[in-house]
Amino acid sequence: MSTLVLKNGRVFDPSRKLDKVADVVIDIKAGTIANIARNANAPKDAEVIDCKGLVVCPGFLDIHVHFREPGFTSKESIATGAAAAVHGGFTTVVTMPNTDPPLDNSSSIAYQYLQADKAGKARVYPMGCVTKERKGEELAELGMLARAGAVGFTDDGAAVGSSFLMRSALEYASALGKVVVQHCEDHDLSNGAVIHEGKVSAALGINGYPSAAEEVIVARDIRLAKLAGARFHVQHISAKGSVALVREAKRRGVRVTAEVAPHHLLLTDDACRDFDAHYKMNPPLREASDIEACLQGLRDGTIDCLASDHAPHTSEEKSQEFIHAPNGVIGLETNIGVLLAKLVATKKLPLKRFVEAWTGAAAKVLDLPFAGLKPGAVADITILDLGLLWTVDPERFKSKARNCPFNGWKLKGAPVYTIVGGKVFEAIGRTMQAAAQPKKAKKQARAAKKR
Amino acid sequence: MPWNRKHLLDLESLSKAEIVEILDTAASFKEVSGRSVKKVPALRGKVVVNLFFEDSTRTSNSFSLAAKRLSADVMSFSSKGSSVSKGETLIDTAKNIEAMGVDAFVIRHYAPGAPHLLARHTDCSVVNAGDGSHEHPTQGLLDIFTIREKLGKVEGKTVAILGDIRHSRVARSNAHGLRKLGARVILAGPPTLVPPAIGKALGVEVSHDIDAVVEQADALNCLRIQFERKAGRFFPGVREYAAIYGLDDERMKRAKPEAIIMHPGPINRGIELTPELADGKRSVILQQVSNGLAVRMAVLYLCLGARGN
């Protein structure tokens, strides 16, 4: 069997203006798409996945994940992270370099590629550090990192604080054709705070992290990008002021892009009222008006793409005192489900924009390989079931971590298959269907007995 | 009889009726302190653990004595010289002590929400004895008890809370409790220590004009500048603070004749409050301490369900 047919799915690729019911024929050996057509010809022994009622999309990319290897593999490894990715519907992820040691040298980059290869699940592209040891003092060997395969540069978790260094990084990376990706935070102003500054922080007596601490760096770096004539990407945008700054910069022709995480579109700082560290991350959950601005930005293209900031931590770490628990939540296995249910099904975000923001637009931010759904293209495909009903249960995750802020959410819509280079993986929608089956069978048995 | 809680974590989540029940119970316990044998058998056989992760004189001793007057056994734990200094987590520490067979934790912790975290992980009662800058519910209750005792009632009275509101768990608990009982609450001090968001968050008034506030108040609750929480970064200096925001005789000339002066202690004498006022005839500071004992007896009594025994 060297052919796979995705039969009768709704083939949906905004990058190719494609939305029609058709078969997608995949050459498994070559790992490419052979044909897209209605009732396409296929060998008799071809493997078939019945996609009637399902949406067949280009493979989803999550350009912001933390896989913690090397250094913190009790939280996540590249193998468990890559498994979580395909289980969550993602064919490709971009890993952040805040490992231990950090990815500030070419051998660390090579090591991540090696581990990802061994895992054999999602495609994993590492990002390199901007500065040596992420200390913000001197530039890392950006050229060597790029040569080793770093797809961009960031000190994520911390901002490059020095304006001089940031300008240099932008100029230097620009010649390498790479983007500098910034965790936008004025650390002096946020002052170690772990929660949005507003009513909730005031009531809880916890130091607040004002939106201005993000906006100040977004504003500065937009000007530095213009000065350097370089591209610049805003990670995990969270504040309405930042969205306005990016919108205005794009209008002026500055080459700035931005991403937003699902939790910043669905949760506010009110979630922190019970001191539950599962709602603690950096940047913090902000206010309803920030959600509205981020959503508007995502709809109108000010915010280019979605990205999870998947940040695994152990249960022990997350069950500490709120101020001590580490920042971050996982997202790979809920990204698609929560947004389909809460934004797409409610018509707050068109399906087209949703898919584009996880596929073509995400790839474009970092110039990652992306060909979309067309004959000859690599068979990286994500298949969605928009009607599947399920409840988030972190115990079903492939990620090593359980720090999920959406635990118990009842959702409609999930990824069901993830295909990476022709290789098929069952996604969380299938897992939850299978988990629901025994119950159904039991119910039927009970009903039969009664009769 | 509305009280059916196991924990006292904050005043924000209490109803007016629950607060009044604590105050009324405390009033009946106050009489015990006047007896020659200062003890009742209400919590005989119960074990109360003081779990203190932050320095305290008044609160830890007050809780210990309150538990002893109710005939409970009392164990005291302080993070200094314990396994916490070996890196043991709060939950592990508490679970190990719980395994010895105890009934209530009285917890003082520098991390906001630590009592809430503990309550999720233990079967014992948890009483918050101050969590960072979040709440200090028994201090709020004893302040309200003292106001009720001295002014006859709480409803309709104007209570000004002065000073370092930003870092104050006392201010937060007072604001919630007083507002629920119908008092008018004004938080006052320099804008850096009394951010306007805090007024909105707590549903009370904010002012930066101390003179105007002094004129309106029936009770003035002065707070300590919390230098240990780096409050010094928020204003130019001690001399300036005393001159512009401190309470002194000159400023008190504007006050209502019957207005009382309160302070949760320890006092920075000469900074937020002059020694003359702290020891003067308007001051009810030591009565606050006495009332604290009765309030804490009431809280332990109610949370440990002794009423039903």
Side-chain angles (χ1 to χ4, degrees):
Chain A
M1 242 189 307
S2 62
T3 305
L4 169 66
V5 182
L6 309 177
K7 193 83 189 154
N8 275 326
R10 176 181 173 193
V11 181
F12 192 88
D13 179 0
S15 75
R16 309 194 58 75
K17 298 194 168 57
L18 196 60
D19 182 6
K20 62 173 186 189
V21 173
D23 301 342
V24 178
V25 181
I26 294 165
D27 179 340
I28 296 176
K29 228 178 233 164
T32 54
I33 296 171
N35 191 12
I36 300 175
R38 284 209 81 131
N39 304 315
N41 287 328
K44 277 221 167 67
D45 66 342
E47 191 185 331
V48 176
I49 297 178
D50 179 8
C51 291
K52 190 159 184 271
L54 305 180
V55 185
V56 178
C57 307
F60 279 32
L61 301 89
D62 188 340
I63 65 165
H64 192 148
V65 304
H66 297 265
F67 281 178
R68 309 298 188 199
E69 185 178 353
F72 310 104
T73 47
S74 60
K75 300 170 191 263
E76 190 88 285
S77 66
I78 292 173
T80 57
V86 291
H87 197 231
F90 289 86
T91 57
T92 301
V93 294
V94 175
T95 52
M96 296 299 120
N98 59 338
T99 49
D100 183 22
L103 308 183
D104 66 350
N105 60 87
S106 41
S107 55
S108 292
I109 297 286
Y111 176 75
Q112 283 224 335
Y113 275 113
L114 188 73
Q115 292 300 87
D117 227 39
K118 267 201 220 163
K121 301 272 174 28
R123 299 179 197 279
V124 176
Y125 294 110
M127 214 174 259
C129 297
V130 179
T131 66
K132 285 184 181 142
E133 297 177 58
R134 295 177 60 245
K135 280 186 174 164
E137 288 163 6
E138 45 184 334
L139 289 181
E141 295 167 334
L142 303 185
M144 308 266 274
L145 286 167
R147 198 183 280 170
V151 295
F153 306 110
T154 182
D155 280 355
D156 182 33
V160 178
S162 154
S163 306
F164 181 88
L165 203 57
M166 185 62 181
R167 176 192 180 177
S168 301
L170 285 161
E171 286 176 343
Y172 198 93
S174 182
L176 300 167
K178 300 293 178 203
V179 184
V180 178
V181 171
Q182 180 82 298
H183 165 114
C184 297
E185 175 178 0
D186 179 336
H187 294 279
D188 186 44
L189 183 55
S190 61
N191 192 27
V194 297
I195 181 176
H196 172 63
E197 180 173 310
K199 272 188 179 183
V200 177
S201 68
L204 299 186
I206 298 181
N207 267 343
Y209 176 156
S211 293
E214 177 177 292
E215 293 155 4
V216 162
I217 298 297
V218 172
R220 182 199 73 172
D221 288 357
I222 285 170
R223 276 145 188 85
L224 292 178
K226 182 162 187 285
L227 179 65
R231 277 165 61 188
F232 154 64
H233 178 68
V234 180
Q235 296 186 298
H236 44 48
I237 202 164
S238 71
K240 54 179 176 275
S242 305
V243 179
L245 285 162
V246 171
R247 182 176 290 121
E248 192 255 351
K250 283 189 164 176
R251 197 176 293 143
R252 286 188 293 116
V254 180
R255 293 191 294 164
V256 54
T257 53
E259 69 188 36
V260 63
H263 51 262
H264 287 129
L265 293 168
L266 298 173
L267 294 164
T268 66
D269 57 350
D270 265 321
C272 302
R273 281 198 183 267
D274 296 329
F275 300 98
D276 184 343
H278 287 91
Y279 303 102
K280 177 183 172 185
M281 73 286 290
N282 181 351
L285 298 173
R286 299 198 189 273
E287 299 173 18
S289 57
D290 295 296
I291 288 186
E292 199 34 64
C294 287
L295 192 52
Q296 182 52 42
L298 180 62
R299 275 191 298 250
D300 68 22
T302 299
I303 297 172
D304 300 75
C305 69
L306 289 154
S308 70
D309 194 4
H310 176 84
H313 293 292
T314 66
S315 301
E316 285 74 24
E317 289 168 318
K318 275 296 195 182
S319 57
Q320 296 177 80
E321 297 87 341
F322 192 90
I323 57 169
H324 291 329
N327 282 310
V329 295
I330 53 172
L332 275 170
E333 288 160 278
T334 49
N335 280 337
I336 293 178
V338 293
L339 295 179
L340 280 178
K342 304 297 175 187
L343 298 185
V344 177
T346 56
K347 309 242 187 283
K348 288 180 182 164
L349 183 66
L351 180 67
K352 188 179 154 203
R353 182 69 191 116
F354 167 79
V355 172
E356 182 187 53
W358 280 123
T359 57
K364 203 173 158 198
V365 165
L366 299 173
D367 289 330
L368 296 175
F370 177 82
L373 298 179
K374 65 173 182 189
V378 170
D380 281 6
I381 292 170
T382 296
I383 303 177
L384 310 175
D385 180 344
L386 303 186
L388 196 147
L389 299 173
W390 62 297
T391 303
V392 176
D393 175 7
E395 293 309 315
R396 303 282 176 187
F397 291 172
K398 304 285 187 199
S399 168
K400 203 175 271 188
R402 298 287 177 263
N403 52 316
C404 168
F406 304 114
N407 187 8
W409 282 35
K410 292 189 176 4
L411 303 178
K412 186 180 175 185
V416 282
Y417 294 101
T418 310
I419 301 173
V420 185
K423 194 171 169 188
V424 180
F425 299 93
E426 296 212 328
I428 193 157
R430 295 281 295 168
T431 303
M432 300 316 287
Q433 275 175 329
Q437 283 313 320
K439 261 192 224 159
K440 219 187 218 171
K442 261 187 214 162
K443 221 185 234 173
Q444 280 165 350
R446 257 204 312 273
K449 235 184 197 174
K450 270 184 196 162
R451 260 184 253 130
Chain B
M1 285 291 190
W3 190 270
N4 57 6
R5 285 174 190 265
K6 192 169 159 185
H7 311 300
L8 176 66
L9 301 177
D10 49 54
L11 293 192
E12 185 176 9
S13 54
L14 294 197
S15 68
K16 178 181 175 178
E18 287 171 318
I19 293 172
V20 169
E21 182 167 14
I22 298 173
L23 300 179
D24 290 348
T25 308
S28 68
F29 277 130
K30 198 174 172 182
E31 172 266 330
V32 175
S33 296
R35 296 184 195 168
S36 60
V37 178
K38 300 177 177 61
K39 211 157 182 163
V40 292
L43 295 184
R44 192 155 58 196
K46 302 278 187 187
V47 182
V48 175
V49 181
N50 270 344
L51 208 53
F52 276 58
F53 293 83
E54 213 180 42
D55 295 340
S56 163
T57 310
R58 251 164 305 272
T59 306
S60 69
N61 285 317
S62 178
F63 265 111
S64 290
L65 193 54
K68 286 174 183 164
R69 289 214 166 148
L70 294 168
S71 305
D73 293 318
V74 180
M75 242 162 85
S76 280
F77 166 96
S78 101
S79 54
K80 277 177 196 143
S82 75
S83 289
V84 170
S85 53
K86 299 174 190 164
E88 190 172 41
T89 65
L90 166 63
I91 300 305
D92 280 343
T93 301
K95 287 202 157 179
N96 276 278
I97 294 174
E98 187 178 355
M100 297 175 196
V102 305
D103 300 286
F105 287 113
V106 174
I107 178 173
R108 155 80 52 105
H109 202 290
Y110 53 86
H116 304 68
L117 176 71
L118 178 58
R120 284 199 287 270
H121 286 90
T122 178
D123 293 326
C124 297
S125 284
V126 176
V127 176
N128 181 359
D131 61 328
S133 303
H134 176 227
E135 282 220 35
H136 190 350
T138 56
Q139 180 72 42
L141 289 164
L142 75 88
D143 288 346
I144 296 167
F145 185 95
T146 306
I147 290 167
R148 190 171 84 162
E149 192 180 60
K150 296 292 164 191
L151 302 179
K153 60 175 185 171
V154 177
E155 195 174 354
K157 298 294 180 188
T158 297
V159 179
I161 305 175
L162 308 179
D164 185 359
I165 309 291
R166 173 187 282 270
H167 298 101
S168 177
R169 50 193 175 214
V170 177
R172 285 172 179 79
S173 285
N174 263 281
H176 287 303
L178 288 166
R179 196 174 52 82
K180 284 175 196 205
L181 295 197
R184 177 184 174 213
V185 180
I186 310 171
L187 307 176
T192 44
L193 291 177
V194 193
I198 217 170
K200 279 189 207 142
L202 304 177
V204 298
E205 294 170 46
V206 160
S207 170
H208 305 122
D209 180 350
I210 298 292
D211 285 339
V213 170
V214 167
E215 283 170 13
Q216 299 170 54
D218 299 300
L220 289 149
N221 198 347
C222 268
L223 303 181
R224 185 171 58 88
I225 303 292
Q226 300 198 32
F227 291 105
E228 74 278 18
R229 296 192 211 278
K230 300 186 184 164
R233 293 175 305 174
F234 293 93
F235 57 91
V238 165
R239 190 170 64 181
E240 160 131 344
Y241 188 90
I244 310 290
Y245 293 103
L247 217 51
D248 57 22
D249 277 328
E250 187 56 33
R251 188 161 258 156
M252 280 308 289
K253 285 181 186 158
R254 299 165 173 274
K256 293 184 182 177
E258 70 283 13
I260 56 172
I261 292 176
M262 307 169 71
H263 194 297
I267 305 171
N268 295 312
R269 284 179 178 258
I271 302 178
E272 65 260 8
L273 190 62
T274 59
E276 295 74 30
L277 287 176
D279 305 328
K281 62 179 194 299
R282 287 178 186 272
S283 169
V284 298
I285 294 171
L286 292 176
Q287 283 101 308
Q288 287 175 267
V289 177
S290 310
N291 289 337
L293 193 63
V295 163
R296 289 174 179 124
M297 286 172 77
V299 166
L300 290 172
Y301 175 81
L302 291 169
C303 286
L304 282 166
R307 196 185 54 211
N309 291 353

